[in-house]
Amino acid sequence: MGNIKDNLRKVREMIQEAASKVGMDPQGIKLIAVTKTVELEKIREAVSAGATILGENYVQEARKKMEEIGRIGLQWHLIGHLQTNKAKYAVELFELIHSLDSIKLARELDRRATAAGKIVDCLIEVNLSQESSKFGIRKEEVLDLVHEIKVMKNISLKGLMTMPPYFDDPELARPYFISLRKLKEEIEKEGIPLPELSMGMSSDFEVAIEEGATMVRVGRAIFGERR
Ligand SMILES: *Cc1c(COP(=O)(O)O)cnc(C)c1O
């Protein structure tokens, strides 16, 4: 592992290459630096090397880090599972929630956003692997959830997110990425735009980009192995 600045540069180069390979504009792909369990020092290093979007899994941990690191010039995204009883804080703290996965959570986010006078941007997390991933809504249920969210005034639905099982060979993740893209295309046929596809992590983000990712969530390839 090199230092964080070099790692970030390498990841950006890989994003560029993967995008050019399929004729996509690399500018259209947002890199989310995943900072769960990463200490402040290292996060600051990434920020000074140009990371502008930080992804956190836990509301509490994120809140502490925001107080230390600040928010100016930065976006904080919630990528981990969100419990309904933390919806209020999530609405206050995050620019984008990647993990909307139930109607119950959607109602609570809408209610809290209304109370705060805010519009909360969300992605629906889709569970494409049933057994291996605990979170996310089943593919068959996504369209119903989309229709329910569309009538909520204080949630703005931006797209879909998924997290395939981990494979040593990233090619094995490809079918999941294809499946998420196809789901997005099906929903868009109903006249509901879903511009963002959040898919791809350290082990497989190049494959995800080839299949249409607009957001990649990368932790270890930037910060090294987690504690
Ligand atoms: C931890 C995490 C990531 C980043 O995983 P790496 O393998 O460190 O790149 C991405 N998305 C989610 C939802 C995560 O929990």
Side-chain angles (χ1 to χ4, degrees):
M1 258 348 241
N3 66 43
I4 288 169
K5 193 175 171 189
D6 291 342
N7 293 345
L8 254 177
R9 201 193 51 235
K10 230 170 278 164
V11 167
R12 289 217 180 86
E13 281 169 12
M14 288 163 78
I15 290 174
Q16 292 219 333
E17 270 168 41
S20 344
K21 198 171 153 187
V22 289
M24 271 188 68
D25 179 4
Q27 303 285 12
I29 296 159
K30 298 175 199 85
L31 172 59
I32 296 158
V34 175
T35 50
K36 65 167 170 258
T37 77
V38 175
E39 53 267 50
L40 292 172
E41 197 73 2
K42 287 186 169 180
I43 302 175
R44 288 201 179 98
E45 231 180 293
V47 170
S48 58
T52 55
I53 311 178
L54 306 176
E56 280 284 338
N57 287 61
Y58 309 103
V59 173
Q60 233 69 311
E61 184 183 338
R63 179 157 58 178
K64 282 203 200 104
K65 287 176 179 168
M66 288 171 192
E67 280 167 13
E68 297 290 336
I69 289 167
R71 316 190 53 115
I72 297 164
L74 294 176
Q75 276 189 28
W76 293 82
H77 290 191
L78 182 67
I79 62 169
H81 179 67
L82 177 59
Q83 290 170 288
T84 309
N85 64 9
K86 303 248 169 66
K88 175 177 185 281
Y89 303 106
V91 164
E92 285 168 11
L93 295 172
F94 295 99
E95 270 80 26
L96 180 66
I97 295 169
H98 290 233
S99 47
L100 174 50
D101 65 354
S102 73
I103 182 63
K104 183 171 161 234
L105 179 58
R107 287 195 183 118
E108 185 62 9
L109 285 168
D110 186 50
R111 189 170 84 83
R112 294 297 189 172
T114 305
K118 276 190 160 187
I119 307 281
V120 59
D121 289 348
C122 292
L123 308 177
I124 292 178
E125 179 174 358
V126 187
N127 181 351
L128 297 167
S129 54
Q130 312 309 353
E131 301 92 56
S132 49
S133 140
K134 279 177 290 181
F135 303 119
I137 185 170
R138 287 170 52 237
K139 194 179 170 184
E140 296 73 28
E141 295 168 334
V142 172
L143 192 57
D144 281 347
L145 181 59
V146 167
H147 283 300
E148 300 242 29
I149 293 170
K150 281 323 281 181
V151 297
M152 296 181 179
K153 292 200 169 59
N154 292 67
I155 294 184
S156 177
L157 184 61
K158 299 295 184 191
L160 305 177
M161 180 273 226
T162 199
M163 187 162 158
Y166 174 81
F167 300 106
D168 281 329
D169 176 3
E171 278 304 321
L172 297 176
R174 190 183 295 273
Y176 295 90
F177 299 143
I178 293 175
S179 178
L180 195 72
R181 176 182 19 96
K182 290 204 164 139
L183 183 59
K184 161 201 156 87
E185 288 165 357
E186 271 169 43
I187 296 168
E188 288 189 322
K189 271 188 210 141
E190 310 230 343
I192 299 162
L194 292 175
E196 305 290 352
L197 276 183
S198 168
M199 55 189 200
M201 315 185 1
S202 292
S203 53
D204 54 21
F205 68 86
E206 291 167 285
V207 174
I209 289 168
E210 288 170 23
E211 297 304 339
T214 63
M215 294 182 172
V216 292
R217 312 179 306 268
V218 180
R220 288 170 302 134
I222 297 171
F223 297 106
E225 290 302 321
R226 278 181 289 276
R227 282 176 286 122

